[in-house]
Amino acid sequence: MITIKTTEALAAFCERATRHPYVTVDTEFLRERTYYSQLCLVQLAVPGDAEEDAVLVDPLAKGIDLAPLYALFKDESVVKVFHAARQDLEIFYIEGGVIPHPLFDTQVAAMVCGFGEQVGYETLVRKIAHESLDKTSRFTDWSRRPLTPAQEKYALADVTHLRVIYEYLRDELAKSGRKPWVEEEMKILTSPSTYVIEPENAWMRIKTRTTSGKFLAAVKELARFREGYAQSRNIPRNRVFKDDALSELASTKPRTEKDLSRSRLLLREARRGEIAEGILKAIEIAGDYAPEDMPKPDTSRDKLQVNPALADMLRVLLKAKSDSLGVAQKLIATTADLDMIAAGRRDVNALKGWRAEAFGNDALRMCQGELGLVARGQKIEVFEL
């Protein structure tokens, strides 16, 4: 088992990887105590059975520079293969300002190839590679050195079996003609906007029941302060204050530190110092919002005039299409998509791109009274009206 701890050794492996059609990639990281993930290990493998074809890269090794890896990620001749890539890609974008391309996510591909909703790596290893995984090292502390042999074995398995899984799914997509479907999904994963949280927009993540403009203005400014504070100090946002405390502050609108001391939900360390100052300043700014500048909740779904019978028929159609195509329902359309279609909306993801081919075009024809459904035994079939 090879562990790379120098820039020179990493450059040598990455140069050799450029001679192969693909490289499989995985990471181990910690995020419990930081805002951004702490990269602790990178696993890489190229096609082949030799020991040097699969390596561990120690990003915590003294003096190592990951620039050769980032150069490999930019090489258009080599497909970068991940499973459930989103968190890994976020790390590489934040750490190195790079998003691997071209990209292949085996979780997305497996959903297109009939392996169900959000299929796990362990399941694919069992069903495609016909191997089993020892998951006992999954939740260990990957920042501690030295790594144990069990940790190293576990980590390497995440990229060695991935070679078999990738080649199988790649060939299945070629046979089915659905490679463009997966490529369309990869455009979302490779967009930098997927991984950037702007403090200005952080309030949109907060779930509230109140639609008052003054309340939402306070929510927006408190969320903006919290996100910026957490990012600048690389601490989890909940370490600043939690969502329930944020909602409480937006309701009570404290003006002084004495007011903060009366909070039921605010952490003790947030009632004084920089955090307290930030909270009070946020409330002050929110109080100066002009009526026309106050945030407005998204009420578009509340105004939907959903035809419930049509929505139910669309759900049955989705299941029929999912079953016949062998594509996970969740990947094709969400419940919200179906409700919007049944309400007459046409700016819906399920009606665009490959989803239109798989489901959306027939959904529109059903809405127009051109298609019907019939039960034949255990199956639902679509027929022309």
Side-chain angles (χ1 to χ4, degrees):
M1 192 171 299
I2 298 174
T3 299
I4 291 175
K5 297 185 178 183
T6 67
T7 306
E8 292 73 23
L10 177 59
F13 178 86
C14 291
E15 192 281 327
R16 195 160 62 83
T18 62
R19 304 175 214 155
H20 293 276
Y22 71 85
V23 58
T24 57
V25 189
D26 192 35
T27 68
E28 304 300 339
F29 57 88
L30 296 179
R31 198 172 192 169
E32 290 79 6
R33 300 183 295 273
T34 57
Y35 183 92
Y36 300 107
S37 297
Q38 179 190 0
L39 182 61
C40 299
L41 194 68
V42 181
Q43 303 98 280
L44 303 168
V46 294
D49 297 321
E51 182 182 21
E52 60 269 22
D53 291 329
V55 299
L56 304 177
V57 180
D58 187 355
L60 303 182
K62 185 177 180 180
I64 193 169
D65 186 342
L66 297 185
L69 178 62
Y70 298 146
L72 175 62
F73 284 168
K74 295 176 183 178
D75 190 326
E76 294 286 326
S77 69
V78 183
V79 177
K80 272 63 73 172
V81 181
F82 292 76
H83 180 82
R86 185 169 181 135
Q87 285 189 296
D88 300 319
L89 298 186
E90 179 184 10
I91 292 171
F92 292 128
Y93 182 69
I94 298 298
E95 292 263 340
V98 61
I99 295 178
H101 191 271
L103 176 72
F104 188 99
D105 189 322
T106 55
Q107 184 177 71
V108 174
M111 293 171 74
V112 170
C113 292
F115 285 88
E117 311 280 349
Q118 301 291 328
V119 61
Y121 181 65
E122 188 175 7
T123 300
L124 295 182
V125 170
R126 186 175 68 254
K127 290 186 175 182
I128 296 176
H130 307 295
E131 298 281 355
S132 60
L133 291 178
D134 179 3
K135 307 296 284 186
T136 55
S137 296
R138 183 176 184 182
F139 297 110
T140 56
D141 184 350
W142 291 98
S143 67
R144 296 187 65 180
R145 294 295 184 269
L147 296 174
T148 67
Q151 283 179 305
E152 293 176 334
K153 181 180 178 181
Y154 164 85
L156 208 60
D158 279 347
V159 286
T160 52
H161 298 313
L162 194 55
R163 296 178 295 197
V164 178
I165 293 167
Y166 165 67
E167 291 179 6
Y168 174 87
L169 293 173
R170 176 199 61 194
D171 294 345
E172 286 296 301
L173 291 170
K175 285 189 286 187
S176 67
R178 295 177 187 171
K179 182 181 177 183
W181 295 14
V182 174
E183 290 174 343
E184 193 175 319
E185 295 303 295
M186 294 304 99
K187 290 179 182 178
I188 299 172
L189 281 174
T190 55
S191 170
S193 62
T194 303
Y195 308 103
V196 176
I197 299 178
E198 297 292 349
E200 172 74 18
N201 301 322
W203 72 279
M204 297 178 183
R205 300 177 56 259
I206 310 298
K207 295 180 180 179
T208 65
R209 296 181 180 179
T210 305
T211 59
S212 157
K214 291 182 179 181
F215 174 81
L216 291 178
V219 168
K220 180 175 182 177
E221 290 302 324
L222 287 165
R224 187 213 302 264
F225 161 70
R226 181 178 69 171
E227 205 72 23
Y229 188 92
Q231 288 178 353
S232 66
R233 289 156 179 79
N234 195 21
I235 60 173
R237 63 176 66 89
N238 283 348
R239 285 266 304 276
V240 186
F241 46 83
K242 297 182 180 180
D243 284 0
D244 55 359
L246 188 151
S247 295
E248 180 194 44
L249 294 168
S251 296
T252 59
K253 298 179 178 60
R255 299 292 180 180
T256 66
E257 287 193 14
K258 186 175 180 180
D259 294 337
L260 289 177
S261 69
R262 299 189 184 101
S263 169
R264 294 184 303 108
L265 302 173
L266 196 61
L267 297 171
R268 182 176 300 175
E269 52 268 32
R271 301 181 187 196
R272 58 183 180 274
E274 289 184 320
I275 297 178
E277 291 173 9
I279 291 171
L280 297 177
K281 184 63 177 178
I283 295 297
E284 180 185 343
I285 294 171
D288 291 336
Y289 269 48
E292 62 271 18
D293 295 330
M294 289 182 180
K296 296 174 178 60
D298 181 5
T299 58
S300 57
R301 287 200 63 197
D302 298 338
K303 297 176 182 177
L304 290 178
Q305 299 296 314
V306 178
N307 180 330
L310 180 56
D312 287 342
M313 290 181 67
L314 288 170
R315 286 173 175 76
V316 178
L317 175 65
L318 176 61
K319 185 176 189 314
K321 286 291 183 179
S322 171
D323 290 347
S324 66
L325 292 169
V327 179
Q329 290 186 50
K330 187 176 180 180
L331 191 63
I332 300 174
T334 65
T335 299
D337 288 338
L338 301 181
D339 286 344
M340 286 192 283
I341 295 170
R345 291 273 295 273
R346 298 297 178 256
D347 55 333
V348 180
N349 285 337
L351 302 179
K352 301 173 184 175
W354 71 266
R355 291 176 174 83
E357 177 186 344
F359 166 76
N361 293 337
D362 279 350
L364 290 178
R365 294 184 67 199
M366 176 172 284
C367 292
Q368 294 159 4
E370 299 174 5
L371 288 183
L373 300 169
V374 62
R376 298 192 189 282
Q378 299 295 316
K379 292 186 177 181
I380 298 294
E381 296 181 4
V382 181
F383 67 92
E384 303 272 349
L385 291 174

